[in-house]
């Protein structure tokens, strides 16, 4: 067995954007110390605002009867991008 060829992810060979386990634990402890119940661990791929908007869209898959993970579905890719842009624009104009 050669882990350099067969292991998708390891601390020695992290996936792009991934956090190391120690980073996740440190973040979790900081969030618990801050009294937060829900802990959404960030990654190095997107900012927190984009992550929150993705989660909101995904929850709306249920409430709006869209297919699961609709942001990747051909019929919803463009509406999802439009949603992201509109929400980010709305937030920037509110500030």
């Amino acid at each position: 067995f050669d882990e350099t060829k067969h292991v998708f992810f390891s601390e020695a060979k992290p996936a792009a954007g991934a956090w190391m386990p120690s980073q996740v634990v440190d973040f979790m402890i900081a969030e618990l110390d801050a009294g937060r119940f829900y802990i959404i661990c960030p990654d190095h791929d997107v900012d927190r605002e984009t992550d929150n908007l993705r989660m909101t869209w995904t929850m709306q898959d249920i409430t709006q009867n869209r297919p699961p993970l609709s942001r990747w579905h051909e019929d919803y890719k463009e509406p999802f991008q439009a949603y992201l842009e509109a929400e980010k624009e709305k937030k920037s104009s509110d500030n």
Side-chain angles (χ1 to χ4, degrees):
F1 176 76
D2 181 354
E3 80 172 30
T4 61
K5 294 180 183 176
H6 302 291
V7 175
F8 176 72
F9 172 84
S10 72
E11 288 190 53
K13 183 181 162 187
W19 276 26
M20 294 295 95
S22 62
Q23 289 176 288
V24 172
V25 171
D26 290 345
F27 184 81
M28 178 192 72
I29 290 169
E31 292 291 284
L32 290 171
D33 287 346
R36 295 191 179 89
F37 180 80
Y38 294 106
I39 301 172
I40 309 300
C41 189
D43 58 26
H44 298 301
D45 287 334
V46 298
D47 57 45
R48 184 57 160 233
E49 178 187 14
T50 301
D51 217 12
N52 287 345
L53 290 170
R54 285 177 173 179
M55 288 185 284
T56 299
W57 176 274
T58 299
M59 291 305 296
Q60 290 174 346
D61 283 351
I62 297 167
T63 61
Q64 296 184 19
N65 201 31
R66 293 188 300 242
L69 303 173
S70 69
R71 67 187 171 112
W72 291 292
H73 190 284
E74 282 302 318
D75 294 343
Y76 294 94
K77 282 182 180 180
E78 287 182 24
F80 172 69
Q81 285 304 315
Y83 161 79
L84 275 183
E85 292 167 15
E87 290 298 314
K88 286 183 177 188
E89 179 62 33
K90 188 186 318 179
K91 287 183 184 195
S92 70
S93 66
D94 288 346
N95 295 331

